[in-house]
Amino acid sequence: MRRALTSVGTGDGHGQGNGHGNGDHGHGDDGHGDRDESRLWHITLSVSGKPAPLSEVRRGLEQLAHDHPFLLTSRYADDHAEIRYWEEARDLHDAAAVALRLWGEHRSSAQLPPWEIVGLEVIDRATYHQRVAEGYGPPPAHPVGVHPY
């Protein structure tokens, strides 16, 4: 049995939800997602693996930032990294699919370490801003760029 997804509005007028839970927000193929409008999604991608020289990790992340212009910030250590950026996509599924391909597709061109993706968070713009306003958002980002933990 399929259940329709509903949405709760943020009350700020910027979100897709209207607080009435009508489910008409393009969540998959439930017959309600006929809009092809792109939306912004905040992505946090976490990767981890065997230790690599910090200078190589930094250089690879800087190249990734150059190749992927929406990259906000990256934090890294010798055995893990976190990448935060905005992705434009039709829905959460598309945003997640792009995010899950990011590391692998840029691994050789940016000379990234052979780490695996160990975490992914994808939230819409309204949820991101609601979390920040409530004090539950991600830690304040360093200035845009690549930074050690």
Side-chain angles (χ1 to χ4, degrees):
M1 176 180 175
R2 265 188 111 133
R3 290 187 281 163
L5 298 175
T6 60
S7 178
V8 177
T10 62
D12 64 0
H14 297 295
Q16 295 290 326
N18 60 11
H20 298 293
N22 65 6
D24 191 16
H25 300 292
H27 296 287
D29 58 353
D30 60 2
H32 295 291
D34 59 348
R35 296 183 312 169
D36 286 337
E37 296 177 17
S38 290
R39 294 166 46 192
L40 285 177
W41 301 88
H42 186 267
I43 308 290
T44 303
L45 184 70
S46 300
V47 294
S48 180
K50 292 181 179 177
L54 284 175
S55 61
E56 290 180 20
V57 175
R58 180 180 181 91
R59 182 181 34 75
L61 290 171
E62 287 173 342
Q63 183 62 48
L64 179 62
H66 182 282
D67 294 346
H68 195 79
F70 291 110
L71 188 74
L72 289 177
T73 186
S74 296
R75 299 186 302 169
Y76 66 94
D78 68 345
D79 63 349
H80 66 281
E82 177 183 88
I83 302 164
R84 292 173 42 194
Y85 67 98
W86 290 98
E87 183 67 62
E88 186 175 358
R90 181 178 50 88
D91 59 23
L92 181 137
H93 296 99
D94 289 351
V98 171
L100 288 170
R101 290 191 311 262
L102 178 72
W103 191 262
E105 288 182 355
H106 290 272
R107 185 176 293 158
S108 57
S109 65
Q111 298 179 350
L112 297 166
W115 295 344
E116 68 176 323
I117 297 171
V118 296
L120 174 65
E121 180 183 56
V122 180
I123 57 175
D124 68 356
R125 184 175 182 267
T127 302
Y128 174 84
H129 288 295
Q130 181 179 2
R131 284 185 181 179
V132 170
E134 293 174 351
Y136 296 112
H142 291 280
V144 172
V146 177
H147 307 280
Y149 272 103

